[in-house]
Short mmCIF file of all heavy atoms in Angstrom, two decimals:
data_model
loop_
_atom_site.label_atom_id
_atom_site.label_comp_id
_atom_site.label_asym_id
_atom_site.label_seq_id
_atom_site.Cartn_x
_atom_site.Cartn_y
_atom_site.Cartn_z
N ARG U 77 136.56 77.28 53.55
CA ARG U 77 137.79 77.44 52.81
C ARG U 77 139.02 77.24 53.74
O ARG U 77 139.85 76.42 53.48
CB ARG U 77 137.83 78.83 52.19
CG ARG U 77 139.04 79.08 51.32
CD ARG U 77 139.04 80.56 50.78
NE ARG U 77 140.12 80.71 49.85
CZ ARG U 77 140.46 81.96 49.46
NH1 ARG U 77 139.78 83.08 49.85
NH2 ARG U 77 141.44 82.16 48.62
N PHE U 78 139.10 77.98 54.83
CA PHE U 78 140.25 77.91 55.71
C PHE U 78 139.93 77.62 57.22
O PHE U 78 140.78 77.14 57.90
CB PHE U 78 141.03 79.24 55.71
CG PHE U 78 141.73 79.46 54.40
CD1 PHE U 78 141.40 80.65 53.64
CD2 PHE U 78 142.64 78.61 53.92
CE1 PHE U 78 142.10 80.91 52.43
CE2 PHE U 78 143.34 78.83 52.68
CZ PHE U 78 142.99 80.06 51.95
N ALA U 79 138.75 77.96 57.58
CA ALA U 79 138.43 77.90 59.05
C ALA U 79 138.33 76.43 59.51
O ALA U 79 137.73 75.58 58.90
CB ALA U 79 137.07 78.59 59.31
N LYS U 80 138.86 76.23 60.71
CA LYS U 80 138.80 74.91 61.30
C LYS U 80 137.35 74.60 61.77
O LYS U 80 136.99 73.39 61.87
CB LYS U 80 139.72 74.84 62.58
CG LYS U 80 141.14 74.76 62.27
CD LYS U 80 141.93 74.67 63.69
CE LYS U 80 143.38 74.86 63.52
NZ LYS U 80 144.03 75.08 64.83
N LYS U 81 136.62 75.62 62.10
CA LYS U 81 135.22 75.45 62.55
C LYS U 81 134.26 76.23 61.73
O LYS U 81 133.81 77.30 62.12
CB LYS U 81 135.15 75.86 64.06
CG LYS U 81 135.98 75.00 64.98
CD LYS U 81 135.82 75.48 66.37
CE LYS U 81 136.63 74.61 67.34
NZ LYS U 81 136.54 75.05 68.76
N PRO U 82 133.93 75.67 60.58
CA PRO U 82 132.92 76.36 59.76
C PRO U 82 131.55 76.42 60.46
O PRO U 82 131.38 75.63 61.41
CB PRO U 82 132.88 75.49 58.45
CG PRO U 82 134.00 74.66 58.51
CD PRO U 82 134.39 74.43 59.94
N ILE U 83 130.71 77.30 60.05
CA ILE U 83 129.41 77.48 60.65
C ILE U 83 128.38 76.59 59.77
O ILE U 83 128.30 76.81 58.53
CB ILE U 83 128.93 78.91 60.66
CG1 ILE U 83 129.80 79.62 61.78
CG2 ILE U 83 127.55 79.04 60.93
CD1 ILE U 83 129.53 81.10 61.69
N GLU U 84 127.52 75.87 60.49
CA GLU U 84 126.49 75.25 59.67
C GLU U 84 125.17 75.84 60.18
O GLU U 84 124.86 75.82 61.35
CB GLU U 84 126.39 73.71 59.85
CG GLU U 84 125.18 73.07 59.12
CD GLU U 84 125.37 71.67 58.67
OE1 GLU U 84 126.42 71.01 59.17
OE2 GLU U 84 124.57 71.20 57.92
N LEU U 85 124.35 76.30 59.30
CA LEU U 85 123.03 76.98 59.58
C LEU U 85 121.97 76.15 58.95
O LEU U 85 122.09 75.48 57.88
CB LEU U 85 122.96 78.39 59.05
CG LEU U 85 124.06 79.35 59.45
CD1 LEU U 85 123.92 80.69 58.72
CD2 LEU U 85 124.14 79.48 60.96
N LYS U 86 120.83 76.07 59.68
CA LYS U 86 119.68 75.30 59.15
C LYS U 86 119.05 75.90 57.92
O LYS U 86 118.39 75.31 57.16
CB LYS U 86 118.66 75.13 60.24
CG LYS U 86 119.10 74.20 61.35
CD LYS U 86 117.90 74.00 62.38
CE LYS U 86 118.37 73.07 63.54
NZ LYS U 86 117.34 73.11 64.58
N ILE U 87 119.08 77.25 57.96
CA ILE U 87 118.48 77.99 56.81
C ILE U 87 119.45 79.00 56.19
O ILE U 87 120.34 79.44 56.89
CB ILE U 87 117.17 78.70 57.33
CG1 ILE U 87 117.55 79.71 58.43
CG2 ILE U 87 116.14 77.74 57.94
CD1 ILE U 87 116.37 80.63 58.85
N PRO U 88 119.19 79.29 54.92
CA PRO U 88 120.14 80.21 54.26
C PRO U 88 119.81 81.69 54.35
O PRO U 88 119.96 82.48 53.45
CB PRO U 88 120.06 79.79 52.77
CG PRO U 88 118.66 79.39 52.66
CD PRO U 88 118.21 78.77 53.99
N ILE U 89 119.27 82.01 55.54
CA ILE U 89 118.88 83.39 55.85
C ILE U 89 119.51 83.84 57.19
O ILE U 89 119.20 83.27 58.20
CB ILE U 89 117.35 83.54 55.93
CG1 ILE U 89 116.67 82.94 54.79
CG2 ILE U 89 116.94 85.04 56.05
CD1 ILE U 89 115.18 82.62 54.98
N THR U 90 120.39 84.78 57.13
CA THR U 90 121.06 85.25 58.37
C THR U 90 120.60 86.60 58.76
O THR U 90 119.92 87.33 57.95
CB THR U 90 122.58 85.27 58.15
OG1 THR U 90 122.92 86.34 57.29
CG2 THR U 90 123.12 83.94 57.57
N ILE U 91 120.94 87.02 60.00
CA ILE U 91 120.59 88.34 60.42
C ILE U 91 121.82 89.23 60.27
O ILE U 91 122.90 88.92 60.71
CB ILE U 91 120.15 88.30 61.92
CG1 ILE U 91 118.98 87.36 62.09
CG2 ILE U 91 119.76 89.73 62.34
CD1 ILE U 91 117.74 87.62 61.24
N ALA U 92 121.60 90.36 59.66
CA ALA U 92 122.70 91.29 59.32
C ALA U 92 123.24 91.97 60.50
O ALA U 92 122.50 92.07 61.54
CB ALA U 92 122.24 92.26 58.24
N GLY U 93 124.44 92.54 60.43
CA GLY U 93 125.03 93.36 61.47
C GLY U 93 124.25 94.60 61.75
O GLY U 93 123.92 95.40 60.81
N MET U 94 123.92 94.70 63.07
CA MET U 94 123.28 96.02 63.54
C MET U 94 123.74 96.24 64.95
O MET U 94 123.89 95.27 65.72
CB MET U 94 121.72 95.82 63.52
CG MET U 94 121.10 95.82 62.10
SD MET U 94 119.34 95.37 62.05
CE MET U 94 119.38 93.59 62.07
N SER U 95 124.14 97.45 65.18
CA SER U 95 124.91 97.73 66.44
C SER U 95 123.99 97.89 67.67
O SER U 95 122.87 98.33 67.54
CB SER U 95 125.73 98.92 66.26
OG SER U 95 124.96 100.11 66.34
N PHE U 96 124.55 97.46 68.78
CA PHE U 96 124.04 97.93 70.03
C PHE U 96 124.49 99.44 70.13
O PHE U 96 125.69 99.63 70.07
CB PHE U 96 124.59 97.17 71.23
CG PHE U 96 124.24 97.88 72.62
CD1 PHE U 96 122.90 97.94 72.97
CD2 PHE U 96 125.25 98.35 73.33
CE1 PHE U 96 122.61 98.63 74.14
CE2 PHE U 96 124.95 99.05 74.53
CZ PHE U 96 123.58 99.17 74.91
N GLY U 97 123.55 100.28 70.28
CA GLY U 97 123.79 101.70 70.14
C GLY U 97 122.83 102.27 69.13
O GLY U 97 121.92 103.02 69.53
N SER U 98 122.88 101.71 67.97
CA SER U 98 121.79 102.10 66.97
C SER U 98 120.47 101.31 67.44
O SER U 98 119.37 101.86 67.31
CB SER U 98 122.16 101.70 65.60
OG SER U 98 122.20 100.31 65.42
N LEU U 99 120.58 100.18 67.95
CA LEU U 99 119.48 99.41 68.44
C LEU U 99 119.53 99.25 69.98
O LEU U 99 120.64 99.23 70.53
CB LEU U 99 119.43 97.97 67.85
CG LEU U 99 119.38 97.78 66.38
CD1 LEU U 99 119.11 96.32 66.00
CD2 LEU U 99 118.27 98.62 65.72
#
Side-chain angles (χ1 to χ4, degrees):
Chain U
R77 186 183 185 192
F78 290 122
K80 287 182 193 168
K81 295 182 178 177
I83 287 173
E84 177 154 12
L85 305 177
K86 288 182 182 173
I87 60 173
I89 311 162
T90 69
I91 306 301
M94 291 173 274
S95 75
F96 168 66
S98 68
L99 301 188

